[in-house]
Amino acid sequence: MTGGREIEALIKLLAKLPGLGPRSARRAALHMLRHRETLLRPLAHALATAAETVTPCSQCGNLDTVDPCGICRDPKRDPRLICVVEQVADLWALERTRAFAGRYHVLGGTLSALDDVGPEALHIPALIDRVRADAVTEVILALNATVEGQTTAHYIADHLDPTGVAITRLAHGVPVGGELDYLDPGTLTAALTSRRR
Amino acid sequence: MTGGREIEALIKLLAKLPGLGPRSARRAALHMLRHRETLLRPLAHALATAAETVTPCSQCGNLDTVDPCGICRDPKRDPRLICVVEQVADLWALERTRAFAGRYHVLGGTLSALDDVGPEALHIPALIDRVRADAVTEVILALNATVEGQTTAHYIADHLDPTGVAITRLAHGVPVGGELDYLDPGTLTAALTSRRR
């Protein structure tokens, strides 16, 4: 590399982004330097603004510039329905469906004895408090269908049980548009078992 | 999306980078917001610094924070040897080889009647002036092996001819580590024709 230390520093930081390696970081840096007014300066500004203004919602853990976040303060959303997700990305994915009109609880991960992630770190006691305080009627455990996700879901279900709230999980089955031939046996078994008329 | 307009604006800008789509832009934004002090703020700063300080070298077209650039002002590099490349990315690729100790001339593209890119836009007259002024002995035309690159190379060669400078191009052949089975017939023909003992 030979474009000065400033360009090298920029490329090194860009290469830390998920999905960008050293090669695509160089391409991205050159692309931005060619589009200085339409991309480089606006992106520098957007990053600085995000660093200053975006915070996790103290109620649900979503990221927003206001606290409580836009979802938690939306009066049209049902506070008695809470969807528990692992990450903010999962919340965003569910929001894109426009199929859910309740609120969220972002864990920020899954329980892990190895990485020393306990219930406190995932705000699970706070979730139980919320369920009691807001007279929540249903908690949807929308965790990933991985071992870690399902272990965490079991733990939460066990500890929510005394509150009497209804606990549900997402349905397993064939993805819409999915081909049977490419599905794993577990998903196919679940789709068969939960078959509908 | 639901994380406030600032996050949406950030994701939209990130999605404009080559190699990032809407999905990976969201992942990158969340990753940065999780690593605020080690990635988000430093990257905002690096982009702002690059926008302010990086300029094209007035002699060769390389990008650097000084003008002339580090290569053009390096006394250890031979000013009588000029390597002509299409883009700054090509210059960087050649520099990584550490196999070239001359200077560069970055065209910034290829000749294109359709896009109205003429010799002036590619600084070809300036290249010819440089060849005469610096008593250049060899010009290496390291343009892409595409139709546009080779058309531009021919044009430059024609116009450099009266200066008497030696004009060379990169060798064609089998990439180091490449498998013959995956090579196109044109490359294989070139490799055969230029075979060496």
Side-chain angles (χ1 to χ4, degrees):
Chain A
M1 200 72 49
T2 174
R5 265 184 304 149
E6 282 77 3
I7 301 185
E8 280 185 53
L10 171 60
I11 291 171
K12 254 195 195 139
L13 285 167
L14 285 172
K16 288 188 186 176
L17 295 179
L20 285 186
R23 190 192 164 83
S24 42
R26 284 195 298 269
R27 273 182 63 211
L30 282 171
H31 185 79
M32 285 191 278
L33 284 163
R34 271 199 301 269
H35 300 88
R36 204 169 291 227
E37 298 308 323
T38 55
L39 188 52
L40 181 52
R41 280 184 210 278
L43 188 55
H45 181 72
L47 288 168
T49 307
E52 293 309 321
T53 61
V54 176
T55 52
C57 171
S58 56
Q59 285 184 25
C60 77
N62 185 22
L63 290 168
D64 204 337
T65 47
V66 287
D67 183 17
C69 74
I71 295 176
C72 282
R73 56 171 68 198
D74 184 347
K76 289 200 294 291
R77 303 193 69 129
D78 189 348
R80 292 164 307 163
L81 190 57
I82 292 183
C83 182
V84 179
V85 292
E86 289 179 26
Q87 303 289 357
V88 174
D90 305 327
L91 185 160
W92 289 358
L94 285 164
E95 280 300 289
R96 286 197 294 280
T97 68
R98 299 173 189 275
F100 179 67
R103 296 191 181 169
Y104 290 93
H105 182 87
V106 182
L107 296 171
T110 50
L111 292 173
S112 165
L114 219 66
D115 296 329
D116 204 24
V117 179
E120 284 290 341
L122 303 183
H123 315 287
I124 292 174
L127 170 66
I128 296 167
D129 290 347
R130 262 182 90 185
V131 168
R132 290 195 205 271
D134 295 350
V136 171
T137 54
E138 182 181 352
V139 172
I140 305 168
L141 297 175
L143 306 198
N144 287 336
T146 57
V147 173
E148 297 77 19
Q150 293 310 303
T151 309
T152 308
H154 273 292
Y155 178 93
I156 297 174
D158 280 352
H159 286 73
L160 280 177
D161 204 39
T163 65
V165 69
I167 300 165
T168 56
R169 64 162 177 79
L170 299 182
H172 288 305
V174 182
V176 177
E179 293 181 46
L180 295 199
D181 198 16
Y182 290 94
L183 280 180
D184 63 294
T187 305
L188 266 183
T189 306
L192 256 178
T193 314
S194 314
R195 67 189 178 279
R196 304 171 62 170
R197 289 194 78 101
Chain B
M1 200 70 49
T2 173
R5 264 184 303 148
E6 281 78 4
I7 302 185
E8 281 185 53
L10 172 60
I11 292 171
K12 255 196 193 139
L13 285 167
L14 286 172
K16 287 187 185 176
L17 294 180
L20 285 185
R23 189 191 166 83
S24 42
R26 283 196 299 268
R27 273 182 63 211
L30 283 171
H31 185 80
M32 285 191 278
L33 284 163
R34 270 198 302 268
H35 300 89
R36 205 170 290 226
E37 299 307 322
T38 55
L39 189 52
L40 181 51
R41 281 184 209 276
L43 189 56
H45 181 74
L47 288 168
T49 307
E52 293 309 321
T53 61
V54 176
T55 51
C57 171
S58 56
Q59 283 183 28
C60 77
N62 185 23
L63 289 168
D64 204 336
T65 48
V66 286
D67 184 15
C69 74
I71 295 176
C72 282
R73 57 171 68 197
D74 184 346
K76 289 199 293 291
R77 303 193 67 128
D78 190 348
R80 291 164 308 165
L81 189 57
I82 293 183
C83 182
V84 180
V85 293
E86 288 179 26
Q87 302 289 356
V88 174
D90 304 327
L91 185 160
W92 290 357
L94 285 164
E95 279 301 290
R96 285 196 294 280
T97 69
R98 299 173 190 273
F100 179 67
R103 296 192 181 168
Y104 291 93
H105 182 89
V106 181
L107 297 170
T110 49
L111 292 172
S112 166
L114 220 66
D115 297 328
D116 204 21
V117 179
E120 284 290 343
L122 303 183
H123 315 287
I124 292 176
L127 170 66
I128 296 166
D129 290 347
R130 262 182 90 186
V131 168
R132 289 193 205 274
D134 294 349
V136 171
T137 54
E138 182 181 351
V139 171
I140 305 168
L141 297 175
L143 306 197
N144 287 335
T146 57
V147 173
E148 297 78 17
Q150 293 310 304
T151 309
T152 308
H154 272 292
Y155 178 92
I156 296 174
D158 280 352
H159 286 73
L160 280 177
D161 204 39
T163 66
V165 69
I167 301 165
T168 56
R169 64 161 176 78
L170 298 181
H172 288 306
V174 182
V176 176
E179 293 180 46
L180 295 197
D181 198 18
Y182 290 94
L183 280 179
D184 62 294
T187 305
L188 266 182
T189 307
L192 257 179
T193 313
S194 315
R195 67 188 178 280
R196 304 172 62 171
R197 288 195 80 101

